[in-house]
Amino acid sequence: MSSHADLATYNFAYLDEQTKRMIRRAILKAIAIPGYQVPFASREMPMPYGWGTGGVQVTASIIGADDVLKVIDQGADDTTNAVSIRAFFQKVADIAVTTKTDEATIIQTRHRIPETRLKSNQVLVYQVPIPEPLRFLEPRETETRKMHALEEYGLMHVKLYEDIARNGHIATTYSYPVKVQGRYVMSPSPTPKFDNPKMHMSDALQLFGAGREKRIYAVPPHTEVVSLDFEDHPFEVQKFDRPCALCGAEHVYLDEVILDDKGGRMFVCSDTDHCEDRRADGHVGELLAKPQEAAE
Amino acid sequence: MTDSPLLKVNDLSKFYGTRHGCRNVAFELWPGEVLAIVGESGSGKTTLLNCLSTRLTPTTGSVEYQMRDGSFRDLYHMSEAERRFLMRTDWGFVHQNPADGLRMTVSAGANVGERLMAVGNRHYGNIRATATDWLTRVEIGVDRIDDQPRAFSGGMRQRLQIARNLVTGPRLVFMDEPTGGLDVSVQARLLDLVRGLVSDLGLSAIIVTHDLAVARLLSHRMLVMKDGHVIEQGLTDRVLDDPHEPYTQLLVSSILQV
Amino acid sequence: MATPLVVSEVFKSFTMHLRDGIRLPVVSDASFSVAAGECVVLGGPSGIGKSSILKMLYGNYAVDSGQILVSHRGRFVDIASADPRTVLAVRRDTLGYVSQFLRTVPRVAALDVVAEPLISRGEDPISARQKAGELLEKLNLPKALWQLPPATFSGGEQQRVNIARGFITDHAVLLLDEPTASLDAMNRKVVVAMIEAKKKAGVALLGIFHDEEVREAVADRILDVSEFSPQRRAA
């Protein structure tokens, strides 16, 4: 590859070794204290904040030459953010990439957890914009740190209370706060609450990186992750009243796709890899079935 | 009446560098007793209040509080977790500016319910019922339960702050100029409300005020402060009707009518 | 039974710091006692210190020296030296005071103003309010006013609320500072009858009555306060 010549100007995976050491230490500490936000000296990355600089630094620090990387954005492997981060690591680390959940050893994600159950040899790296779940109610960092330290989490329920008071039910659908291993309240990053149950007792290691906010946190494998709720308003995931229009999958997270300017729309799997796999296995959704019916 | 005080303050001083905020303050507060701390701006009354309520660490001296189990604990030998727990369960703190004591961007109901959730209440229906009850007690229409305090008048905000503090049934409430900044008719309503709640609930309270009429109406006992020192103390009507110290006489003679 | 109220060698002066610290002696060596069932009236010209004596006895004024002993729950409490908490307990249970003017609390209904001393002693609010109503009825306060705060009442109406509040409890010692000053003849008679009833119940009463008729009717003994006047001693 012609890009090999340029590699001399970069260390493996872009970050210098001292920085990687520093980040690995933060990651180890985060794993040791599940759900606790470890401060780290976040570096400038060759992309703007909000594009996954936290996740990229975590990935850069754990990735090895033999790793296979998958990057997803809103569940898809082919969106701008996913494509450019994948290209970035191909360039600076020369590693193998994939869109197949099964084949990946590191999955960097924004917004989704894959529908396929993760395995113990996989690491899920989340890009996190705002790591502090208490932030919207308590703007002082000194105070939120103290609240975590002293396990004062009443405020989190104030937010849920407000939801119910306003909407009659808990209307928070993403960044839905969870309690990790009975101790720290954690923001799962802007994943839909649909994915919250997948975090619980996962076989895979889950790492969270917030570049702008300079925080790393983690959920080690086989860790309890419980979504907060009220006794009389228990936690529930979104339910979809129809299957995926392309692969017919049920009990998966669906995206709405507008088809025309006459109100036509369809609901399809947000996880593109999952959808493709199912179609490859012969599953057919309503939309793809129709032309066949017409042909018959 | 129990035969031991709720709060024992010994030789309390707070220095800011070489200046002192308050100096050698000692007193006891008994269950059900309302104590007013009066004095002009800069006399050290707010410093004292903050030192008593763990908001400011005193330089010397001790503040002992009788816990619910009857044991006395020095506030400044407790862990921060214990102190904060005390603050949001057994104590209340009513700020002069309600915005300092309320969450202005969450609803009135959530403001009242926060302490309940903080102590582990996880039943929405019960929390809401308790909040409704408390809004009624502080004369805020139940139809305002989902409104944010930003939409409330000053008097309503102050009443909401009081409800928010009293919902956990505290035994001791600190108030810093609770009627400051309210107009007279609103003040009267608030004072009457506080007076009623304090006597109905058997609360102990420490109220900082520069308004002697407030002290007269609410308190049993008074401390007069000047330059960081308590210069006179005693039964409220004794201090106001027969002030001894020159400064107290000046203070009493300076008001239009107590 | 112990004498309910004993005053012994009480001295009182005011130091006016705002007027170059001049010292105004008002009471000098006052000693007297009031027995149960007795009504003692403080006599003498105005400005001689009658009100000051009542205020010292109630703890409103500090004394320079001397003792004010009130028989409270089977023991003597010296009001002159007791701590505020004790003074408040004595006021709640033993020592009542009817002042000339009612210090009104905003927004509290007249009926509740009267019932409050009973409620603060732990009596059931419903029966306390009922007793308050009986007293206000006796004092001819129009029923229409009962639920209103007394701040807007006339002087006579306020005074009747004040009297009812002072008389509602069974305090063993009652201090009366011109309770009939702004009452008409009919209501003065009612108050005189109420004082008589208190005497029969064994209450020790000490009062100031400028109205001669009332004074004649209630006084067992007139105590000439000018005997305790510092001016007399100086002369």
Side-chain angles (χ1 to χ4, degrees):
Chain A
M1 270 203 255
S2 63
S3 63
H4 266 222
D6 304 331
L7 265 182
T9 55
Y10 293 113
N11 188 33
F12 178 76
Y14 185 75
L15 293 174
D16 62 88
E17 291 305 313
Q18 285 306 317
T19 297
K20 285 196 240 174
R21 274 174 60 129
M22 175 271 292
I23 293 174
R24 285 174 194 144
R25 275 195 216 106
I27 291 170
L28 285 174
K29 183 169 178 179
I31 292 168
I33 316 170
Y36 171 73
Q37 299 166 47
V38 182
F40 80 108
S42 177
R43 296 292 193 251
E44 290 287 331
M45 297 303 285
M47 62 188 75
Y49 287 132
W51 286 66
T53 55
V56 167
Q57 290 180 78
V58 169
T59 300
S61 304
I62 60 170
I63 204 163
D66 303 332
D67 273 312
V68 180
L69 179 68
K70 169 182 164 78
V71 183
I72 45 181
D73 173 13
Q74 300 277 16
D77 295 274
D78 53 2
T79 52
T80 314
N81 197 233
V83 170
S84 57
I85 291 173
R86 211 159 49 222
F88 173 76
F89 279 110
Q90 279 179 292
K91 183 167 186 178
V92 299
D94 194 24
I95 41 88
V97 296
T98 180
T99 60
K100 298 275 160 230
T101 302
D102 271 343
E103 292 168 9
T105 55
I106 298 174
I107 303 167
Q108 180 168 332
T109 182
R110 174 167 179 255
H111 295 138
R112 283 305 315 277
I113 299 174
E115 303 290 0
T116 311
R117 193 181 162 83
L118 298 180
K119 297 173 300 214
S120 57
N121 64 341
Q122 293 179 309
V123 180
L124 187 59
V125 178
Y126 296 74
Q127 301 169 200
V128 182
I130 298 166
E132 179 49 70
L134 300 162
R135 179 61 69 236
F136 287 106
L137 291 157
E138 178 51 70
R140 292 167 295 178
E141 173 72 14
T142 48
E143 186 64 16
T144 51
R145 281 202 210 186
K146 205 163 270 177
M147 291 161 90
H148 282 294
L150 302 177
E151 234 181 312
E152 291 178 7
Y153 290 130
L155 202 51
M156 219 55 256
H157 275 85
V158 169
K159 187 169 182 286
L160 301 180
Y161 170 98
E162 287 289 86
D163 258 9
I164 303 173
R166 225 173 281 153
N167 307 299
H169 60 96
I170 299 179
T172 300
T173 50
Y174 64 93
S175 279
Y176 191 106
V178 293
K179 196 164 205 180
V180 181
Q181 201 71 6
R183 177 59 180 85
Y184 284 94
V185 165
M186 184 187 93
S187 166
S189 85
T191 50
K193 67 177 177 181
F194 181 88
D195 288 339
N196 275 16
K198 296 180 194 157
M199 306 178 76
H200 178 63
M201 292 296 175
S202 168
D203 290 334
L205 169 65
Q206 303 172 76
L207 300 176
F208 300 77
R212 180 175 40 209
E213 302 289 324
K214 302 173 172 54
R215 295 289 184 276
I216 286 172
Y217 52 101
V219 175
H222 313 294
T223 300
E224 239 176 48
V225 178
V226 179
S227 302
L228 302 182
D229 61 1
F230 284 102
E231 289 158 18
D232 47 346
H233 287 269
F235 172 79
E236 277 175 359
V237 298
Q238 292 101 325
K239 286 193 185 77
F240 298 90
D241 52 10
R242 66 188 79 189
C244 170
L246 298 177
C247 75
E250 289 179 326
H251 312 297
V252 295
Y253 194 75
L254 301 181
D255 282 340
E256 182 183 4
V257 179
I258 304 294
L259 296 175
D260 51 39
D261 57 0
K262 299 184 192 73
R265 56 189 192 154
M266 65 171 180
F267 289 88
V268 297
C269 283
S270 146
D271 184 340
T272 51
D273 169 58
H274 183 70
C275 199
E276 280 162 18
D277 278 356
R278 280 179 56 86
R279 273 179 278 153
D281 288 350
H283 294 282
V284 175
E286 190 184 300
L287 199 79
L288 295 180
K290 263 178 195 158
Q292 288 170 1
E293 278 165 17
E296 277 167 14
Chain B
M1 200 175 274
T2 56
D3 47 2
S4 71
L6 192 62
L7 198 71
K8 293 197 272 192
V9 181
N10 303 305
D11 197 29
L12 198 72
S13 298
K14 173 69 188 177
F15 289 91
Y16 299 106
T18 54
R19 292 160 166 276
H20 60 253
C22 65
R23 194 88 194 254
N24 306 117
V25 178
F27 67 89
E28 288 177 344
L29 184 76
W30 294 76
E33 193 175 38
V34 179
L35 175 76
I37 303 175
V38 303
E40 60 193 4
S41 311
S43 60
K45 54 191 196 303
T46 299
T47 296
L48 176 59
L49 187 76
N50 287 339
C51 283
L52 296 174
S53 57
T54 76
R55 297 161 56 81
L56 191 65
T57 309
T59 314
T60 65
S62 67
V63 181
E64 289 175 86
Y65 181 70
Q66 189 185 32
M67 308 296 281
R68 285 188 191 246
D69 66 3
S71 66
F72 276 95
R73 298 283 307 277
D74 186 335
L75 298 178
Y76 295 97
H77 286 117
M78 282 183 177
S79 69
E80 188 173 14
E82 286 177 297
R83 277 207 296 269
R84 286 171 66 108
F85 184 73
L86 202 61
M87 266 309 254
R88 63 172 192 265
T89 55
D90 217 19
W91 287 10
F93 196 105
V94 177
H95 296 260
Q96 174 174 7
N97 179 2
D100 294 340
L102 292 172
R103 291 196 191 278
M104 298 302 281
T105 54
V106 304
S107 68
N111 263 289
V112 177
E114 181 177 342
R115 274 178 166 233
L116 297 173
M117 296 181 242
V119 295
N121 202 315
R122 291 289 176 266
H123 192 284
Y124 175 82
N126 294 348
I127 292 166
R128 196 162 170 88
T130 309
T132 305
D133 176 45
W134 268 98
L135 290 180
T136 310
R137 289 178 83 162
V138 298
E139 303 171 14
I140 293 175
V142 171
D143 58 333
R144 306 300 299 271
I145 190 168
D146 293 328
D147 292 348
Q148 295 183 358
R150 286 193 291 199
F152 287 4
S153 69
M156 280 173 81
R157 289 179 185 183
Q158 201 54 297
R159 297 202 300 278
L160 180 64
Q161 192 188 182
I162 288 166
R164 171 177 160 89
N165 273 282
L166 297 187
V167 68
T168 49
R171 294 187 301 156
L172 174 58
V173 177
F174 299 95
M175 299 190 190
D176 187 5
E177 304 275 10
T179 58
L182 299 178
D183 62 49
V184 180
S185 62
V186 177
Q187 263 195 29
R189 182 179 188 184
L190 187 77
L191 286 173
D192 173 42
L193 183 83
V194 170
R195 193 174 162 276
L197 288 171
V198 164
S199 76
D200 289 353
L201 304 171
L203 289 177
S204 300
I206 296 180
I207 300 174
V208 160
T209 179
H210 65 270
D211 186 340
L212 297 185
V214 170
R216 164 88 83 182
L217 199 59
L218 293 181
S219 72
H220 301 118
R221 200 150 61 86
M222 255 172 81
L223 302 181
V224 182
M225 293 195 72
K226 183 175 191 292
D227 300 331
H229 293 268
V230 174
I231 54 162
E232 185 160 358
Q233 59 174 304
L235 211 56
T236 297
D237 51 35
R238 208 283 292 151
V239 174
L240 292 175
D241 293 344
D242 183 15
H244 284 198
E245 292 297 316
Y247 176 72
T248 317
Q249 291 187 357
L250 180 69
L251 214 56
V252 171
S253 67
S254 302
I255 39 174
L256 297 174
Q257 196 190 2
V258 187
Chain C
M1 190 181 150
T3 307
L5 178 65
V6 179
V7 176
S8 162
E9 296 171 13
V10 164
F11 288 76
K12 169 69 186 168
S13 63
F14 290 107
T15 306
M16 316 297 272
H17 292 287
L18 302 180
R19 285 165 54 196
D20 302 324
I22 59 164
R23 199 171 152 271
L24 294 176
V26 285
V27 173
S28 170
D29 201 13
S31 296
F32 60 90
S33 66
V34 183
E38 187 184 27
C39 179
V40 174
V41 173
L42 298 176
S46 62
I48 203 79
K50 298 189 293 287
S51 278
S52 295
I53 289 180
L54 288 190
K55 284 181 172 162
M56 283 189 288
L57 298 191
Y58 197 60
N60 271 10
Y61 283 180
V63 305
D64 299 347
S65 64
Q67 288 182 309
I68 296 164
L69 302 176
V70 175
S71 175
H72 170 68
R73 291 180 175 175
R75 63 187 182 93
F76 278 111
V77 170
D78 180 10
I79 296 291
S81 63
D83 61 31
R85 208 165 70 90
T86 311
V87 174
L88 288 175
V90 171
R91 285 181 184 180
R92 196 186 59 219
D93 295 337
T94 307
L95 184 63
Y97 182 60
V98 180
S99 63
Q100 230 167 319
F101 305 104
L102 178 68
R103 198 181 289 281
T104 54
V105 175
R107 295 209 313 158
V108 180
L111 194 68
D112 292 326
V113 170
V114 175
E116 201 235 290
L118 284 182
I119 295 170
S120 76
R121 294 176 71 187
E123 190 155 333
D124 166 57
I126 293 168
S127 80
R129 281 199 193 95
Q130 196 182 335
K131 284 181 191 163
E134 286 164 14
L135 269 176
L136 289 176
E137 195 150 18
K138 201 186 272 184
L139 285 158
N140 302 305
L141 189 80
K143 233 177 179 159
L145 299 180
W146 292 10
Q147 296 301 332
L148 298 177
T152 54
F153 291 7
S154 73
E157 287 160 353
Q158 288 198 4
Q159 187 145 42
R160 278 177 275 162
V161 172
N162 214 8
I163 292 166
R165 181 178 158 92
F167 277 75
I168 196 166
T169 54
D170 56 356
H171 282 41
V173 181
L174 215 47
L175 308 175
L176 309 170
D177 190 354
E178 297 208 49
T180 56
S182 35
L183 297 186
D184 58 22
M186 182 179 74
N187 283 315
R188 276 203 299 274
K189 281 207 181 87
V190 174
V191 175
V192 169
M194 284 168 66
I195 293 174
E196 284 302 325
K198 285 284 181 195
K199 280 160 72 172
K200 283 212 179 70
V203 173
L205 296 109
L206 179 69
I208 303 170
F209 296 93
H210 283 147
D211 185 294
E212 214 162 308
E213 201 184 316
V214 175
R215 191 163 60 207
E216 293 296 314
V218 301
D220 291 309
R221 183 153 64 90
I222 295 193
L223 192 67
D224 187 359
V225 173
S226 49
E227 279 179 38
F228 311 137
S229 165
Q231 284 94 326
R232 188 196 62 92
R233 283 174 186 264

